[in-house]
Amino acid sequence: MNSSEADHTDHAITILAEDYAFDAPDEIPSGWTKIEFTNQGEEPHLMYIERLPDGKSVDDYAADVVVPRTEIWHEQRAGEIDRALTLMKTRAAFPEWRAERTLAGGVGVVKPGHTLEVALYFEPGSYILDCYMKTEDGELHNMEGMVRELHVTDASSDVTPPDHDIEVTLSNHEMVVEGDLTPGRHTVQVHNEEVGHNVHVARLETDTEMQDIIEWITPYNLEYFWPPAPATFIGGIHYLPEGGTGYFTLELEPGRYLFISQTTVDRDVWQEVTIE
Ligand SMILES: [Cu+2]
């Protein structure tokens, strides 16, 4: 192994997404962390990360966030309440402590069998890793076991952010995608200028319906993250904090791709890119 390969693999951690669990370390140092993320399951998965307020654990998160969310989702799934009421009831059900959470990035929706490398920055603290996509039966993956805790210690990593050749800038009313949009493997820097945005990348086929993607990716819709996925998703960076930056590797082939954020889809903010 030459020194550049050593630099590349040093301090990288591996996280496997399975149907339905995360295989991940329990503890990492703070600072930049490189994550090799592989979806080993048969279904698409994502990884949402948030830093818990001091004193809270994954058990609190499961009891106070995942369980009430699931109960209200079941009412929506049964057709008892519409989207607006679902949103209202869910917000009312979440505990007060949740206002003190901090978004910490994560991994966008990834198709089965796909691996990408992600780089994220972590302050010391307790975090949860959560996939809240749905099974074919409409059960939440986190209720099936896809939620766990990650401790970030006071020790600091000496990892530096990777070089990148594509940049995505997210804000409340705009998404800018620029850089080397050519076939091959790229590293994308995602920078979030305002509250809690994310970006997911999907490959578009000739029969892909944009409206199906919008309905599938819009939080609290009946179709939200309920299989089948309307397109093939190949990663991204999940909810970043304001001012936050994350990196992910993106493999492009000739064709059409969609960069879309769940928080601005209702404002028709997305970018379609054609790779030649
Ligand atoms: Cu999942």
Side-chain angles (χ1 to χ4, degrees):
M1 189 187 286
N2 67 38
S3 62
S4 67
E5 278 168 343
D7 290 345
H8 180 73
T9 53
D10 273 358
H11 312 290
I13 62 167
T14 300
I15 296 183
L16 305 177
E18 299 160 357
D19 309 333
Y20 303 93
F22 287 114
D23 184 349
D26 294 321
E27 195 175 281
I28 60 169
S30 55
W32 283 99
T33 297
K34 287 179 181 170
I35 302 169
E36 187 182 270
F37 185 91
T38 299
N39 181 356
Q40 286 197 326
E42 306 282 323
E43 300 180 27
H45 293 293
L46 58 73
M47 188 169 70
Y48 167 80
I49 308 176
E50 79 175 40
R51 185 177 162 209
L52 297 166
D54 289 344
K56 294 297 173 190
S57 70
V58 67
D59 292 338
D60 297 306
Y61 181 81
D64 298 349
V65 177
V66 177
V67 168
R69 172 76 190 99
T70 302
E71 286 168 358
I72 296 161
W73 156 244
H74 284 170
E75 290 177 43
Q76 184 186 19
R77 187 182 61 179
E80 292 162 12
I81 53 175
D82 65 6
R83 179 178 190 260
L85 194 50
T86 300
L87 253 173
M88 203 185 301
K89 288 189 77 164
T90 305
R91 283 185 184 146
F94 284 158
E96 253 176 51
W97 64 257
R98 196 139 196 260
E100 293 158 47
R101 76 186 187 279
T102 311
L103 296 171
V107 182
V109 178
V110 180
K111 67 178 177 178
H114 194 64
T115 296
L116 66 162
E117 284 169 38
V118 175
L120 296 169
Y121 188 86
F122 292 94
E123 300 284 354
S126 290
Y127 291 74
I128 55 93
L129 312 177
D130 181 3
C131 179
Y132 45 75
M133 298 188 71
K134 295 177 185 123
T135 68
E136 273 182 26
D137 297 335
E139 296 300 337
L140 290 154
H141 289 187
N142 49 22
M143 282 297 281
E144 306 290 308
M146 222 166 172
V147 60
R148 68 177 285 150
E149 199 160 335
L150 175 70
H151 296 281
V152 178
T153 66
D154 291 332
S156 72
S157 79
D158 54 2
V159 174
T160 52
D163 293 335
H164 64 275
D165 55 3
I166 295 175
E167 290 180 15
V168 176
T169 308
L170 305 169
S171 57
N172 293 347
H173 299 278
E174 198 179 21
M175 173 189 296
V176 178
V177 179
E178 54 195 357
D180 184 19
L181 294 158
T182 58
R185 190 171 191 272
H186 301 276
T187 300
V188 183
Q189 180 194 65
V190 181
H191 182 67
N192 178 33
E193 293 184 335
E194 293 173 280
V195 292
H197 298 298
N198 59 35
V199 64
H200 302 264
V201 182
R203 185 175 164 87
L204 302 178
E205 308 299 342
T206 49
D207 61 351
T208 306
E209 295 288 345
M210 192 62 207
Q211 191 56 36
D212 291 343
I213 295 180
I214 291 169
E215 285 172 13
W216 190 78
I217 209 162
T218 299
Y220 296 100
N221 259 352
L222 183 62
E223 300 83 0
Y224 181 40
F225 285 157
W226 195 348
T232 302
F233 283 81
I234 53 173
I237 294 290
H238 215 23
Y239 293 101
L240 284 164
E242 184 171 356
T245 301
Y247 298 81
F248 71 103
T249 50
L250 181 64
E251 286 167 38
L252 297 173
E253 294 168 11
R256 286 162 58 228
Y257 292 85
L258 177 72
F259 290 69
I260 190 164
S261 172
Q262 291 180 262
T263 50
T264 50
V265 63
D266 62 338
R267 284 157 235 169
D268 292 349
V269 174
W270 55 74
Q271 281 293 320
E272 207 182 304
V273 169
T274 299
I275 307 300
E276 289 169 351

